Amino acid sequence: MSNEAQKQIETIRESARAIGVSYSTLRRMIAAGDFPKPIQISRRRKGILISKRNAWLEKKASQDV
């Protein structure tokens, strides 16, 4: 994966859509430590590194096999 791809960020809502859960469910997962912690993008905005979301998905997929 290129350095550029590793630094891409998506909003929490976009992450929720990408993994197929609601925004509220993803917020609960983050609070429980079951999903990568968001980073502060600006004073009022947080986001998820796409590379961390993808790594989380890979880990989940390997656990289910």
Side-chain angles (χ1 to χ4, degrees):
M1 186 180 307
S2 72
N3 243 1
E4 190 66 30
Q6 291 178 356
K7 294 180 183 177
Q8 290 181 342
I9 299 171
E10 63 189 4
T11 65
I12 296 171
R13 287 189 193 281
E14 290 170 334
S15 282
R17 243 181 268 124
I19 66 168
V21 300
S22 71
Y23 174 78
S24 299
T25 297
L26 186 56
R27 295 295 300 175
R28 284 192 296 274
M29 290 169 66
I30 292 167
D34 295 332
F35 193 79
K37 191 173 181 179
I39 60 170
Q40 197 75 40
I41 298 170
S42 67
R43 197 178 76 151
R44 297 185 64 201
R45 177 72 77 174
K46 291 184 179 183
I48 306 288
L49 286 169
I50 293 173
S51 59
K52 287 193 176 191
R53 188 237 314 148
N54 288 340
W56 177 86
L57 281 170
E58 288 292 325
K59 183 179 174 186
K60 282 299 216 186
S62 67
Q63 288 174 355
D64 290 340
V65 173

